[in-house]
C-alpha cells in the first residue's frame, strides 16, 4: 500500500466469523448474542485499550491493525492493550505509575489524569500543562499509519510543548521541533531530555530541589546551567521547568509558587521515574530530537529533507500564546511585545485584520512545509474548525484550499471531537496532505 488514500477504498474488511443473526420474533433472543461493533473491525486476538472508544480512535486503531504487523503493534501500536496476549509497549509505558505523581493533587485531578493514562498522561507529556497541546496517543497513531521508521526525520514547525518530538523519540524516530516561543523551546527540550535521564539524575533533582528553588527565586539572571543553551544540564532544566510550572499554577490558584513548587517537583520526578522504569523494562531506544527557536514561515531547515510533518498551528486567534506564557517568558527575560509581532494569529487590530494576517501567514507556512518535505511524503495538519470565533469562516476548509495551491493533495481526513470547549469549538480536523 503506497499511500493513505488506498486504506479505505473498499479493500475489504475481513469480518471475524460470528453468529450475528438475532431472531427478533423469539422471546429467547438475548443481548449476549449481539456482537460488539469493534468485532467487525478488529479480530479478537487484538485487545483494544480501554479508552479507545471514540470514532476517531477506532478509525486509527483499525488503520494500525491494517497497516502494521502483529510484532509492530506490540512494539509501537497506540491503541492496543495486547496482541495474542502479549502486552504492547504503549500499555506497559502507560501502566507504570509512581505514587509521587499524585502528591498535592485533588481527587478530581487525580481521576482526570487516571482516565487519560493511555491518551495524554504518560511518559513526559504530563510535565507542563501546555494549553492547546496535541493528544499524544493520536500522534503515535499518525506516526504509525504513515509508517515512519527510525531512520526517518519528522518535523513539527510549531512544536509548542514538543508532543510530536516526545512521541517520535518513544518510537526511536529522529525529529526536529521549531517554535517561535523561547519558552516552548525550553519546555519541548526538557520533555525530550527527561526521556533519557537515569535514576541517579532523578535523585539529584530531589535532593537539590530546595537549594535550586532558592537560586531560582533569588538570582536576577538564571544561571546558565539551568537554561537551554550550550551549558544545558537536564537535572537543572527539569527543575527550572517545574519552577515555571509552579509559577503558572500559582497564577491560577490562591497558593504561592513556594507553596506549590515542592509538590510539582515531586510530581515531575515521579512521572519521569515511572517512565524510566518502563523504558528499562522494555529496553526502549529513544530517538534523537533537535529543537530550534525559529519561524514556521521561514524554516531553518534544508529543502526536501523531511520524511513527515505533523503539526497543529494556532487555531487563528483562539489562544493568545504570548499572553498565555507571559510569566514564564518574562522570567526568562524575553520581551513579549516583540514576540507577539512574529507569532501567527496575534497580529491585527480587530478580528477581520487578525484573520487576514492569519491566512497570509498560514500560506507562508504551507509554502515552507512543501519546500522542506520530500516528494510523496505527508504533512498532517490538525486544526480546529473555530467558526464560532471567526464568524463562520472554517479554518480547515481555508487551509485545505491553500494547501492544494502548494503541491499538496488531500489523502485522508479524520474528525475528532474536542472535549470541554464545545461552545467555542466542536471539532478538530486531521488533514493528511501528500506532497506530489
Ligand atoms: C497549537 S500550538 C502547538 C502545540 C503543540 N502541537 C503541542 O503539542 O504542544 C501552536 C504553536 O505555534 C507556535 N507559533 C506561533 N507562531 C509561530 C511562528 N511564527 N513560528 C513558529 N511557531 C509559532 C506557538 O508558540 C504555539 O506553541
Amino acid at each position: 500500500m503506497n499511500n493513505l488514500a488506498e486504506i479505505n477504498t473498499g479493500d475489504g474488511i475481513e469480518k471475524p466469523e460470528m453468529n450475528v443473526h438475532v431472531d427478533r420474533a423469539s422471546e429467547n433472543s438475548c443481548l449476549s448474542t449481539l456482537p460488539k461493533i469493534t468485532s467487525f473491525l478488529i479480530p479478537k486476538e487484538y485487545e483494544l485499550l480501554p479508552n479507545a472508544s471514540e470514532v476517531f480512535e477506532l478509525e486509527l486503531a483499525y488503520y494500525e491493525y491494517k497497516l502494521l504487523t502483529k510484532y509492530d503493534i506490540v512494539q509501537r501500536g497506540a491503541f492496543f492493550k495486547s496482541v495474542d496476549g502479549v502486552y504492547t509497549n504503549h500499555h506497559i509505558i502507560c501502566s507504570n505509575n509512581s505514587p509521587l505523581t499524585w502528591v498535592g493533587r485533588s481527587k478530581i485531578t487525580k481521576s482526570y489524569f487516571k482516565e487519560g493514562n493511555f491518551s495524554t498522561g504518560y511518559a513526559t507529556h504530563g510535565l507542563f500543562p501546555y494549553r492547546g497541546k496535541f493528544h499524544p496517543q493520536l500522534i503515535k497513531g499518525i506516526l504509525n499509519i504513515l509508517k515512519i521508521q527510525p531512520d526517518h526525520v519528522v518535523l513539527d514547525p510549531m512544536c509548542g510543548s514538543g508532543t510530536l518530538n516526545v512521541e517520535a523519540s518513544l518510537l526511536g524516530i529522529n525529529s526536529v521541533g521549531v517554535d517561535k516561543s523561547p519558552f516552548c523551546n525550553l519546555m519541548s527540550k526538557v520533555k525530550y531530555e527527561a526521556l533519557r535521564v537515569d535514576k541517579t539524575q532523578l535523585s539529584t533533582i530531589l535532593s537539590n530541589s530546595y537549594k535550586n528553588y532558592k537560586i531560582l527565586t533569588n538570582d536576577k539572571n538564571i544561571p546558565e546551567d539551568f537554561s537551554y543553551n550550550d551549558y544545558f544540564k537536564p537535572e537543572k532544566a527539569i527543575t527550572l521547568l517545574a519552577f515555571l510550572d509552579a509559577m503558572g499554577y500559582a497564577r491560577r490558584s490562591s497558593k504561592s509558587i513556594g507553596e506549590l513548587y515542592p509538590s510539582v517537583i515531586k510530581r515531575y520526578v515521579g512521572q519521569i521515574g515511572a517512565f524510566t522504569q518502563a523504558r528499562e523494562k522494555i529496553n526502549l531506544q529513544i530517538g534523537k530530537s533537535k529543537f530550534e527557536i525559529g519561524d514556521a514561515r521561514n524554516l531553518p531547515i534544508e529543502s526536501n529533507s523531511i520524511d513527515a510533518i505533523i503539526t497543529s498551528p494556532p487555531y487563528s486567534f483562539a489562544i493568545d500564546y504570548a499572553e498565555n506564557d507571559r510569566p514564564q517568558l518574562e522570567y526568562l527575560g524575553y520581551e513579549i511585545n516583540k514576540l507577539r509581532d512574529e507569532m501567527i494569529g496575534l497580529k491585527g487590530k480587530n478580528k477581520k485584520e487578525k484573520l487576514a494576517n492569519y491566512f497570509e501567514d498560514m500560506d507562508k507556512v504551507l509554502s515552507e512545509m512543501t519546500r522542506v518535505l520530500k516528494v510523496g511524503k505527508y504533512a498532517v495538519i490538525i486544526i480546529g474548525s473555530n467558526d464560532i470565533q471567526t464568524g463562520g469562516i472554517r479554518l480547515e476548509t481555508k487551509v485545505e484550499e491553500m494547501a492544494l495551491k502548494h503541491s499538496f493533495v488531500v489523502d485522508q481526513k479524520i474528525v475528532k471531537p474536542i472535549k470541554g470547549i464545545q461552545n467555542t469549538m466542536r471539532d478538530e480536523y486531521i488533514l493528511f496532505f501528500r506532497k506530489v
Side-chain angles (χ1 to χ4, degrees):
M1 198 173 285
N2 292 325
N3 60 52
L4 288 177
E6 292 169 36
I7 295 182
N8 57 0
T9 50
D11 55 343
I13 301 169
E14 299 134 31
K15 295 188 182 79
E17 277 204 16
M18 59 186 66
N19 179 9
V20 293
H21 177 72
V22 178
D23 181 359
R24 288 191 180 84
S26 158
E27 284 186 7
N28 293 332
S29 63
C30 97
L31 288 177
S32 65
T33 60
L34 292 176
K36 287 270 180 211
I37 198 148
T38 47
S39 62
F40 287 98
L41 295 175
I42 293 157
K44 59 180 179 313
E45 65 267 30
Y46 293 78
E47 191 181 355
L48 284 166
L49 282 166
N51 78 309
S53 57
E54 300 229 21
V55 175
F56 81 94
E57 289 166 328
L58 294 176
E59 215 164 351
L60 284 159
Y62 172 69
Y63 292 164
E64 281 192 338
Y65 153 65
K66 287 294 280 183
L67 296 170
L68 302 186
T69 62
K70 283 183 170 178
Y71 174 82
D72 278 342
I73 291 185
V74 169
Q75 294 296 309
R76 54 184 288 176
F79 293 95
F80 293 91
K81 178 176 179 178
S82 65
V83 181
D84 290 332
V86 179
Y87 282 128
T88 61
N89 281 355
H90 189 75
H91 181 266
I92 296 169
I93 291 170
C94 299
S95 306
N96 210 31
N97 288 310
S98 152
L100 279 181
T101 307
W102 311 117
V103 174
R105 293 252 147 159
S106 69
K107 269 196 184 143
I108 299 174
T109 319
K110 197 168 160 180
S111 95
Y112 173 79
F113 277 99
K114 286 219 153 152
E115 217 173 275
N117 233 12
F118 297 107
S119 57
T120 51
Y122 57 92
T124 56
H125 292 299
L127 293 195
F128 190 99
Y130 190 58
R131 255 184 98 195
K133 79 170 182 149
F134 279 145
H135 181 291
Q137 188 185 24
L138 164 72
I139 301 305
K140 183 174 285 170
I142 295 174
L143 286 167
N144 281 334
I145 67 171
L146 296 183
K147 293 188 156 183
I148 303 300
Q149 302 303 319
D151 57 344
H152 289 160
V153 180
V154 297
L155 162 74
D156 187 343
M158 291 166 278
C159 71
S161 60
T163 312
L164 170 69
N165 306 90
V166 169
E167 279 307 314
S169 303
L170 292 177
L171 300 183
I173 296 162
N174 299 330
S175 67
V176 184
V178 176
D179 202 288
K180 194 69 222 168
S181 159
F183 175 55
C184 289
N185 180 257
L186 166 71
M187 179 169 36
S188 48
K189 184 153 187 192
V190 172
K191 287 191 178 197
Y192 162 68
E193 291 290 345
L195 295 174
R196 311 195 303 169
V197 297
D198 57 32
K199 285 185 214 125
T200 321
Q201 287 171 298
L202 287 174
S203 38
T204 312
I205 294 175
L206 268 192
S207 54
N208 289 342
S209 72
Y210 183 68
K211 184 180 95 191
N212 286 332
Y213 173 74
K214 286 279 168 211
I215 297 172
L216 291 170
T217 42
N218 292 336
D219 266 28
K220 279 224 161 64
N221 296 314
I222 317 159
E224 277 175 328
D225 53 355
F226 276 92
S227 63
Y228 43 95
N229 51 26
D230 297 347
Y231 301 92
F232 188 87
K233 287 229 168 47
E235 302 93 307
K236 299 251 175 126
I238 290 167
T239 308
L240 173 61
L241 189 68
F243 176 78
L244 295 172
D245 192 342
M247 184 182 279
Y249 198 178
R251 204 188 185 196
R252 304 186 297 272
S253 87
S254 54
K255 293 188 177 161
S256 66
I257 305 177
E259 286 170 301
L260 294 167
Y261 169 81
S263 55
V264 175
I265 192 89
K266 282 190 192 125
R267 175 160 58 79
Y268 274 39
V269 169
Q271 285 182 1
I272 302 167
F275 169 73
T276 309
Q277 270 181 0
R279 181 192 73 203
E280 283 166 7
K281 188 167 164 187
I282 54 180
N283 191 23
L284 208 62
Q285 301 303 308
I286 305 295
K288 287 199 181 79
S289 248
K290 215 171 70 176
F291 298 91
E292 309 247 10
I293 300 177
D295 197 326
R297 298 165 302 172
N298 183 16
L299 288 168
I301 291 172
E302 250 179 64
S303 302
N304 301 309
S305 62
I306 299 293
D307 295 283
I309 296 174
I310 304 177
T311 196
S312 171
Y315 300 173
S316 67
F317 40 81
I319 297 178
D320 185 328
Y321 285 99
E323 196 49 47
N324 213 31
D325 302 336
R326 179 182 280 278
Q328 289 84 7
L329 284 164
E330 281 179 347
Y331 177 84
L332 295 170
Y334 292 98
E335 170 67 84
I336 310 281
N337 288 338
K338 222 169 134 206
L339 188 61
R340 292 190 73 83
D341 289 343
E342 303 194 49
M343 289 187 78
I344 297 165
L346 301 187
K347 279 172 297 165
K349 288 192 226 59
N350 49 41
K351 268 189 189 182
K352 200 174 159 204
E353 223 178 273
K354 278 189 180 168
L355 261 185
N357 288 334
Y358 175 76
F359 288 123
E360 198 182 308
D361 283 343
M362 281 305 295
D363 199 54
K364 290 183 188 148
V365 172
L366 285 161
S367 155
E368 277 297 84
M369 283 188 181
T370 353
R371 181 183 66 76
V372 300
L373 200 61
K374 294 180 185 168
V375 175
K377 303 290 182 176
Y378 282 93
V380 182
I381 300 186
I382 300 174
I383 190 158
S385 49
N386 200 17
D387 56 334
I388 298 171
Q389 281 182 309
T390 60
I393 297 171
R394 298 193 68 95
L395 302 183
E396 78 285 5
T397 314
K398 281 283 275 185
V399 166
E400 191 179 327
E401 279 168 18
M402 289 193 294
L404 299 181
K405 293 189 199 139
H406 287 283
S407 319
F408 280 125
V409 292
V410 187
D411 268 1
Q412 262 293 343
K413 281 185 215 175
I414 296 176
V415 185
K416 170 184 176 295
I418 303 179
K419 286 185 185 155
I421 51 165
Q422 292 275 315
N423 48 351
T424 49
M425 223 183 293
R426 288 188 197 93
D427 298 307
E428 276 173 318
Y429 287 76
I430 308 165
L431 307 170
F432 292 81
F433 297 114
R434 183 163 43 89
K435 178 175 167 181
V436 287

